[in-house]
Amino acid sequence: MRKETLESIASDLRTGRSVNLSVEDFPCFSEEAAIEDPRTSPEALARISAGLTAKDACVFERAARAVEEGDMAWVGFKVVDNASVAVSNVDNDVTKSYGTIGSADGYDLVFFCNDAKEVVAARDYSARDFFQMKDVTRGPSMHNDQFEGLTWASVPLFDSVKVWLLGASDVAVETAALARHVGFEVEVVDDDASFLSEERFPGCKRTLVSSFDDLGSMRANSSDCVCVLTRGHMHDPEGCVWAIAQGVRYVGMMGCKGKNGRVHDLCVDAGMTEEQWEAIKRPIGLKFGAKTPAELAISIVAELVDVRYRQRYSQEAREKHDASLW
């Protein structure tokens, strides 16, 4: 999300101009999202846009500041499809009690929420609303369909973590689909166009190189993750050398002990130090007996989620979160 976009929306609202929130900026209301839940359709976003007033400018102003500060924050939406039901819903014996009313009112609402549980909205919200607003930070909304009459949606104001898949192998196909599903940005690199197709990697950036020796022309960020998954492991050394040279946060490589020994020798011959070699996670992924491409993808993406979690949250915050689970 661009800060300038949010500032423009806020400015238009402050001066009384109508706004038209776009699906490109708020993809939680895309046609794809509407397939899973018709309440989060482009038409719903248009309805919400038409209902915004100058009072709602504070939400977008706070969101713009969050982008500037690099805050973990979201713009969220309460989407109401049955006003009377949304207000009258009550908790059951399992859920924590949030009072005798459900949602504060039967109207759509746009709001800001960050990971520190700060909420900014133009209207009052109920204790139940606040519970669901906070869960936007587990995004998308963790309990968006817990109560009838309304749903919740959100868009993050921070960038996704990028995952490079070096090699368009069968394991990479499964890993790409699962990584995208849990919110990673995915780029797949290979030297054979027949493997690097849209059908195999829908929604991913696909980069064709003439040779894995040409990886040096590409640049990764320090926050990126690299999974070395080349077909038949034939170009794992080139992938490992490139990833280490980029200084990325995480590098993982598939393979058994014997294969890793040969890759080690080739990487060292290419100038990699022993310390750099030890920084590569081998074998890639969490260890729980995964063998098939789909099972291996689960182990890989589970590890990526853990890497992202540790990247975004301090040790103190992780300990607090873990303690709350027991």
Side-chain angles (χ1 to χ4, degrees):
M1 178 70 70
R2 296 176 63 250
K3 181 185 73 168
E4 293 77 12
T5 299
L6 296 163
E7 290 175 335
S8 176
I9 294 170
S11 176
D12 286 344
L13 290 173
R14 287 288 185 199
T15 55
R17 293 190 292 269
S18 61
V19 298
N20 183 21
L21 306 185
S22 71
V23 171
E24 289 72 25
D25 293 323
F26 300 94
C28 55
F29 290 96
S30 66
E31 295 285 356
E32 292 77 9
I35 293 174
E36 295 187 13
D37 188 341
R39 294 173 295 183
T40 57
S41 65
E43 291 75 21
L45 182 61
R47 182 187 75 231
I48 292 171
S49 298
L52 294 175
T53 70
K55 292 182 178 180
D56 294 295
C58 62
V59 174
F60 299 96
E61 289 166 347
R62 181 65 184 90
R65 182 157 60 88
V67 172
E68 183 176 15
E69 296 172 350
D71 195 6
M72 284 190 64
W74 293 256
V75 170
F77 299 86
K78 179 176 75 172
V79 186
V80 177
D81 64 287
N82 188 317
S84 61
V85 173
V87 174
S88 62
N89 264 320
V90 294
D91 307 282
N92 66 16
D93 292 337
V94 176
T95 59
K96 179 180 177 181
S97 177
Y98 289 94
T100 58
I101 65 169
S103 186
D105 58 43
Y107 299 96
D108 299 322
L109 179 68
V110 60
F111 61 92
F112 166 90
C113 186
N114 65 13
D115 199 55
K117 308 301 185 281
E118 173 193 355
V119 170
V120 175
R123 300 197 310 274
D124 291 338
Y125 44 85
S126 68
R128 170 90 58 68
D129 286 332
F130 184 52
F131 157 71
Q132 297 190 274
M133 287 171 166
K134 290 188 298 180
D135 271 355
V136 167
T137 66
R138 299 171 73 176
S141 308
M142 184 70 171
H143 299 102
N144 54 346
D145 293 315
Q146 183 170 350
F147 303 105
E148 295 180 3
L150 74 170
T151 191
W152 301 79
S154 64
V155 292
L157 299 173
F158 50 91
D159 292 334
S160 300
V161 173
K162 182 172 182 176
V163 174
W164 297 78
L165 303 182
L166 302 185
S169 62
D170 289 343
V171 173
V173 170
E174 300 285 355
T175 301
L178 189 54
R180 287 192 67 248
H181 185 63
V182 297
F184 289 97
E185 176 188 353
V186 179
E187 180 167 354
V188 191
V189 182
D190 203 273
D191 61 354
D192 189 326
S194 64
F195 287 92
L196 199 65
S197 64
E198 172 66 21
E199 291 73 24
R200 283 168 62 83
F201 297 100
C204 299
K205 182 177 180 180
R206 293 168 289 124
T207 299
L208 179 67
V209 292
S210 58
S211 164
F212 275 89
D213 291 330
D214 296 336
L215 291 176
S217 62
M218 300 186 303
R219 293 291 178 268
N221 294 322
S222 59
S223 60
D224 293 350
C225 297
V226 176
C227 302
V228 181
L229 307 173
T230 65
R231 290 176 289 109
H233 311 297
M234 294 179 64
H235 301 291
D236 286 3
E238 298 98 307
C240 289
V241 169
W242 176 80
I244 288 295
Q246 298 299 306
V248 295
R249 179 169 294 273
Y250 167 92
V251 184
M253 180 185 72
M254 287 185 59
C256 61
K257 184 177 180 180
K259 191 273 292 186
N260 283 347
R262 182 57 182 151
V263 174
H264 162 270
D265 294 343
L266 292 169
C267 286
V268 171
D269 289 346
M272 186 181 293
T273 67
E274 291 294 338
E275 181 180 10
Q276 290 173 327
W277 171 253
E278 290 302 322
I280 299 172
K281 176 62 166 53
R282 318 178 309 276
I284 192 173
L286 300 183
K287 186 176 181 180
F288 54 75
K291 292 186 179 297
T292 68
E295 292 171 347
L296 289 166
I298 292 171
S299 75
I300 292 168
V301 176
E303 186 163 78
L304 292 174
V305 168
D306 187 57
V307 170
R308 181 175 63 183
Y309 174 50
R310 295 172 185 276
Q311 175 181 345
R312 287 178 170 172
Y313 294 92
S314 67
Q315 179 66 32
E316 179 182 3
R318 297 199 307 270
E319 289 176 354
K320 182 178 180 181
H321 169 72
D322 293 346
S324 71
L325 301 177
W326 301 98

